[in-house]
Amino acid sequence: MLRDIAPSALLALAAPQLASAFYLPGVAPTSYKPGDAVPLYVNSIRPVASPQDSQLHSVISYDYYHPDFQFCQPDDGPKAVSESLGSILFGDRIMTSPFELHMAQNETCKQLCSVVEDDRQSAFIREKIQKGYSLNWLVDGLPAGQQIEDQLTGTTFYSPGFLLGQDDETGNIALNNHYEIWVEYHEVSGDENQLRVVGVVVQPSSKKYEGEDPPDCGDGRPSILLEEGEHSHDVTFTYSVYWHKSATAWATRWDKYLHVFDPKIHWFWLIDTAIIVVILVLTVMSILVRTLKKDIARYNRLDQINLDDLSGTSALEEDGVQEDSGWKLVHGDVFRTPSRPLLLSVLLGNGAQLFVMTGCTIIFALLGFLSPSNRGSLGTIMIVLYTVLGFVGGFVSAKVYKSMQGEQWKANIALTPLLIPGVVFSGFFFLDLFLWAKQSSGAVPFTTMLVIIGIWFIISIPLSFAGSWIGFRGPAIDPPVRTNQIPRQIPPTTTYLKPIPSMLIVGLLPFGAIFVELYFIMSSIWFSRIYYMFGFLFLCYGLMIVVCASVTVLLTYFLLCAENYNWQWRSFLAAGMSGGYIFLNCLLYLVTKVRLGGLAGTVLYIGYSALISFLFFILAGKLPVLTSLFTSNMTHRLHWLLCKLVVCPQDLLLHQDRLSCRVSGGSAETLKMGLERW
């Protein structure tokens, strides 16, 4: 389950406050009267950073009512609360609890139950406390958390969840069995009968009761220490509830939970990336303009040559006007069908599908439609968009494959919705087996797996088939020049244009555009934090697109100038290498920020990181191929138009497949008449 390692923001990101000020229709406020019951739901127990070393020691979550935790249950047994598909996939397992909260009524030292934990259960809980596991409660949709002060900015915010126990520097490990629940409420328009919950804070503590009935929750009591060895413990769980009137309005209650860590670094990095983008775009524009401008100057020199004089031809040759150079030497091979066109078209179709899905998801989040108050909305909208956009993937794949003159159209239609989703689903299912073996709450239920397969085969695949059918029925993308029958020999290239060096260089720039935002996304994914900086993410996504397009257009231009026309796969792999850098960054994160001792945790971390990097590889690889194809097509057409308007229109009418115009024995009057005609 992705929420084990990926909580409320996968793949996440104008002002960040926009996300907290808008709520989806249906997420309506609930008003209570004094004394009304306010339900408290419990969620999965998840690992966070250990208090000792601020590092993550596990990625496996557990159900709140896991037998080894021995938490108190409701009299009629815990009942599951209905959740969205995205909430289930992200690891939420919300259930009812025995806690009784009544609006605006304080409760002091109320007993829940008493349990006896044997030595095995004590060792299990001790290990989870050492790894920094935290409890997650929900009160009126708000997560119960702890109040934390940001040392950098001095601001205070609520961090969702609170620690299962305490681990001090002396090695004493205590289980938190008493909870002080502080609930903030707001009066609607001063009406005492319309009260709304606007904040929840829990202060856990460990108190050892010596057979007291009722227990005394006063300060100064000894803690329940979980010592190593065979020891059983009698544990009594208690709680107190305190209600506090607040001026916070219901619409802004999430502002306390949504906190930006070090906002200045976001702006600094965005400005630096924007400068790089401007330089890249200007470089691409200058190269294209200089190329066409140079051709104009060469062709205009024809006006000074007497075409009737035989010496004009030699003068032409001496002047170099007739000689093609650079990318024009391979004009008859630029649009040659690359190797493995079927696989490339399938990857491009899936990349287009992921590209549109990611962009739409970020825009929805930026506009506030993915409010954190609607749990699982991020995952749900991603699944819905990916399913619906199967039409886009099928259409792009078919269109590209037809333009490559592919003949295995049935294989293209079948592989587009099956190959990449099948690889991702197989990897996801394999990793889910580890969660099932560990009895983790993050393991996706078998029924949910069936639902995903049903959505895939009943909705996504038919839409992809429809898109492919329309793509194959439509006209192919005609290249501006005719492809030679015999491929031109490719001369040896310089070192930096070889496949591996060019991939490493080109892939580094798009990764650099998203590096800082990727760090904050990784922190929210693995440390169970709420990520909502969708404004920054939107800007980074746009900059990443421009960087990918610009740098691969330059790579394509340099390849063609080196008479290497195999640019399609080179562009795809070079830009897709940014996904490889993301995976390397995840491995670096594993070494520096994560300490996973067990095999299962390490496999889950690396496996999910590989899946995310693989999807980004396909998304990023799609951008340059289509961009370079459009740019090459446009450049060749502009050059052809330049020849037609400036040099030899009549000759060009007979040889429209030529990129450069050669005077074929006409007269100056013929040239003049042709120019006047055009």
Side-chain angles (χ1 to χ4, degrees), residues 104-288:
Q105 292 185 0
N106 295 337
E107 299 279 357
T108 303
C109 200
K110 193 170 183 178
Q111 182 175 347
L112 281 175
C113 67
S114 297
V115 298
V116 178
E117 296 176 346
D118 57 27
D119 56 318
R120 183 183 62 83
Q121 294 168 341
S122 297
F124 177 83
I125 296 175
R126 176 186 174 90
E127 178 192 7
K128 300 304 178 262
I129 294 175
Q130 288 178 316
K131 291 183 176 181
Y133 275 76
S134 65
L135 306 182
N136 296 274
W137 295 351
L138 298 172
V139 179
D140 192 48
L142 278 178
Q146 291 180 300
Q147 185 170 333
I148 298 177
E149 180 179 355
D150 190 342
Q151 300 296 329
L152 184 63
T153 60
T155 58
T156 58
F157 63 97
Y158 294 170
S159 177
F162 52 93
L163 291 176
L164 171 65
Q166 306 168 26
D167 186 3
D168 58 25
E169 298 179 355
T170 61
N172 295 326
I173 299 177
L175 171 65
N176 291 331
N177 63 319
H178 177 72
Y179 312 103
E180 286 190 4
I181 307 172
W182 295 81
V183 186
E184 300 176 1
Y185 66 94
H186 176 74
E187 291 184 359
V188 181
S189 301
D191 188 353
E192 296 181 355
N193 291 323
Q194 294 190 45
L195 308 179
R196 296 175 180 174
V197 177
V198 294
V200 184
V201 175
V202 176
Q203 297 178 355
S205 59
S206 178
K207 298 181 183 295
K208 187 174 184 180
Y209 305 111
E210 302 291 346
E212 304 173 13
D213 190 17
D216 180 12
C217 303
D219 296 334
R221 304 191 67 85
S223 301
I224 301 178
L225 299 179
L226 304 179
E227 302 175 357
E228 295 183 359
E230 298 182 359
H231 299 281
S232 60
H233 300 86
D234 296 330
V235 180
T236 299
F237 290 94
T238 58
Y239 70 98
S240 301
V241 184
Y242 303 101
W243 297 83
H244 174 67
K245 187 176 180 180
S246 174
T248 303
W250 185 89
T252 60
R253 63 178 187 166
W254 277 93
D255 290 357
K256 304 172 184 178
Y257 296 87
L258 306 179
H259 178 71
V260 180
F261 291 91
D262 198 1
K264 291 183 179 180
I265 192 174
H266 290 272
W267 291 112
F268 289 150
W269 191 262
L270 283 175
I271 293 173
D272 292 342
T273 306
I275 294 174
I276 296 175
V277 168
V278 171
I279 295 174
L280 283 175
V281 172
L282 292 178
T283 303
V284 173
M285 292 177 60
S286 64
I287 288 177
L288 297 180

Side-chain angles (χ1 to χ4, degrees), residues 22-30 140-142 196 250-251 253-254 368-377:
F22 189 88
Y23 289 85
L24 269 177
V27 189
T30 302
D140 192 48
L142 278 178
R196 296 175 180 174
W250 185 89
R253 63 178 187 166
W254 277 93
F369 285 98
L370 303 183
S371 167
S373 63
N374 191 6
R375 300 188 68 87
S377 59

